[in-house]
Amino acid sequence: MKSDSQKRGTYFIQTFGCQMNERDSETIAGMLERDGYERAEERDGSDVIVVNTCSVRENADNRFFGQLGVIKKIKEKNPSSIVAVCGCMMQQKRVTDIIKDKYSWVDIIFGTMNIDEFPALLRERRELGQHEYAVADSMEHITEGLPSKRKYKFKSFVNIMNGCNNFCTYCIVPYTRGREKSRPPETIVNEIKKLSMDGVKEVTLLGQNVNSYGKADGFGSDFADLLYRIEDIDGIERIRFMTSHPKDCSDDLIKAFGELPKLCPHIHLPVQSGSSRLLKKMNRKYTKEHYLDLLEKLRDVREDIAVTTDIIVGFPGETDDDFEETMDLVRKARFDSAFTFLYSKRDGTPAAGYENQIPDTIKHERFNRLVEELNEITAEKNAAYEGRVEKVLIEGPSARGGEGVCAGRTDTFKLVNFRCSESRAGELADVKITETGTFSLYGELI
Ligand code: 5AD
Ligand code: SF4
């Protein structure tokens, strides 16, 4: 292993997709830095280029191959640079076959369950000059102790489990991330203790379905238990988690929202559709009524809880009535915000073979109506913050606010912009909300 002083060159990682991928990229960066590579500001000219891919939607594939076209030109200018591609798309043989055939200049391909092998693959590529390929389709255990290069000093993602056992009929994730595997609670607690000693105040626990944490591994400790243990860690001031599945949102978890002061009052609870008929076809294992009941219970224990969601429009066979059920659910649920997706056919998933695929024009029409309704509700929800004083974790300069403006999040995950010195990043400060919009709030430090 090289020490930091023996610089190997620079690296650049481009990440697509969800927080799990972002977290994996932090591990990849951590391993590269441990081995003496330095982060480059730009992809152009860097010695190692990593593309961490997503395959949740079809346009992600198209974007990836588009990016490869651009990277080819970069590599032509700097032929000794090494290009590695990884992430969910690499778990699909169709994709790796295309890369090996049409993009044979790509040096390294590795899968979602081979991240720990990347340093060795890179070394072999450099020393032997051959192309490297490592894609496993299952994982015995989660490799512990890998380094990580965090983006922020004061907040951190913590992976608590990998994979998914749910097989929602539209979703490719169970095929690209394998079966559910949880990390032992002691390992997670110890990692968070270390993070806390390192100055981390906020942790976000990550998994495809954190609510089923530990179930497949028989730890005798479930997700709610884990939250109680993390609550007790000194120095941690905020606990968040994502993503939750409504079918596994237990009464104990709901109770935890009422009992744990550090647990932020925000839950991302993807509903996908308001039609119980379609939910069945999606294999979601809950109904519209069950979902609305959950929200009521959550709001009973924590009145101020913010609820965000994911919704898919145009799932095969979605009728006007099904869509109206979604509109009705949205009005009743009053989400704080929502990610909306046009259904996208994923090869190998059951829904890709369903009849009655919805024409694009209808999908777009429904999508636009839905987004309009959601935005109106989000704006109303945000407007209720005007005049309130909120605790905000200052993250640093605002991406859009201009000079001297910082951004941060309320405990309900609302983005707030306010005038503030960036040297205060990492502080939990009181901010008075003076103005609200659909996408963010504005305020003043008090
Ligand atoms: N088409 C459209 N959206 C999808 N999602 C997952 N698979 C698909 C698909 N095939 C959405 C779901 C999920 C989010 C991460 O991506 O809403 O919650
Ligand atoms: Fe995909 Fe469903 Fe698993 Fe979420 S719970 S990752 S939507 S299969």
Side-chain angles (χ1 to χ4, degrees), residues 177-352:
R177 292 248 167 205
R179 293 296 72 72
E180 252 173 54
K181 204 143 222 69
S182 299
R183 297 173 66 200
E186 298 73 35
T187 316
I188 297 168
V189 167
N190 285 338
E191 178 177 334
I192 298 176
K193 280 184 181 160
K194 279 205 200 107
L195 288 170
S196 154
M197 285 190 282
D198 206 25
V200 166
K201 292 179 179 165
E202 179 182 294
V203 285
T204 303
L205 312 178
L206 290 184
Q208 302 297 341
N209 174 17
V210 291
N211 301 152
S212 66
Y213 167 79
K215 273 192 193 162
D217 299 81
F219 294 139
S221 152
D222 66 7
F223 183 57
D225 295 335
L226 183 68
L227 290 175
Y228 281 81
R229 291 181 65 170
I230 299 171
E231 174 79 19
D232 289 338
I233 300 176
D234 288 339
I236 296 298
E237 297 187 46
R238 282 181 163 186
I239 307 168
R240 302 185 182 280
F241 60 84
M242 70 189 322
T243 288
S244 296
H245 193 307
K247 82 173 166 59
D248 298 312
C249 188
S250 68
D251 285 345
D252 284 345
L253 174 63
I254 295 172
K255 202 164 95 193
F257 274 109
E259 292 184 347
L260 301 180
K262 294 180 183 175
L263 185 58
C264 287
H266 168 222
I267 186 165
H268 185 66
L269 198 60
V271 66
Q272 313 298 1
S273 169
S275 155
S276 297
R277 191 186 76 86
L278 277 197
L279 287 170
K280 195 155 192 212
K281 289 195 154 186
M282 291 176 167
N283 193 28
R284 293 290 288 177
K285 302 197 170 81
Y286 55 86
T287 60
K288 176 188 186 187
E289 290 68 32
H290 176 75
Y291 187 89
L292 289 170
D293 276 355
L294 278 178
L295 296 196
E296 209 175 300
K297 284 193 202 163
L298 283 160
R299 286 172 175 150
D300 277 348
V301 293
R302 201 76 209 246
E303 198 193 348
D304 58 340
I305 196 166
V307 182
T308 56
T309 201
D310 295 342
I311 301 175
I312 298 177
V313 176
F315 183 80
E318 183 185 71
T319 61
D320 283 342
D321 284 350
D322 291 321
F323 180 67
E324 290 312 323
E325 290 283 342
T326 298
M327 292 293 282
D328 180 61
L329 174 120
V330 158
R331 287 183 207 109
K332 290 184 170 135
R334 296 192 58 75
F335 295 111
D336 286 82
S337 74
F339 293 108
T340 41
F341 303 99
L342 290 164
Y343 168 73
S344 153
K345 230 176 169 177
R346 307 313 293 126
D347 280 348
T349 61

Side-chain angles (χ1 to χ4, degrees), residues 23-37:
R23 177 67 195 80
D24 287 346
S25 288
E26 290 181 351
T27 302
I28 294 166
M31 294 188 300
L32 285 167
E33 297 203 2
R34 178 197 62 195
D35 291 353
Y37 291 89

Side-chain angles (χ1 to χ4, degrees), residues 2-36:
K2 293 266 173 179
S3 75
D4 268 358
S5 56
Q6 293 170 285
K7 295 295 178 218
R8 279 274 176 88
T10 56
Y11 75 88
F12 188 91
I13 305 175
Q14 191 172 8
T15 308
F16 293 93
C18 66
Q19 284 84 0
M20 301 292 280
N21 264 17
E22 277 182 45
R23 177 67 195 80
D24 287 346
S25 288
E26 290 181 351
T27 302
I28 294 166
M31 294 188 300
L32 285 167
E33 297 203 2
R34 178 197 62 195
D35 291 353

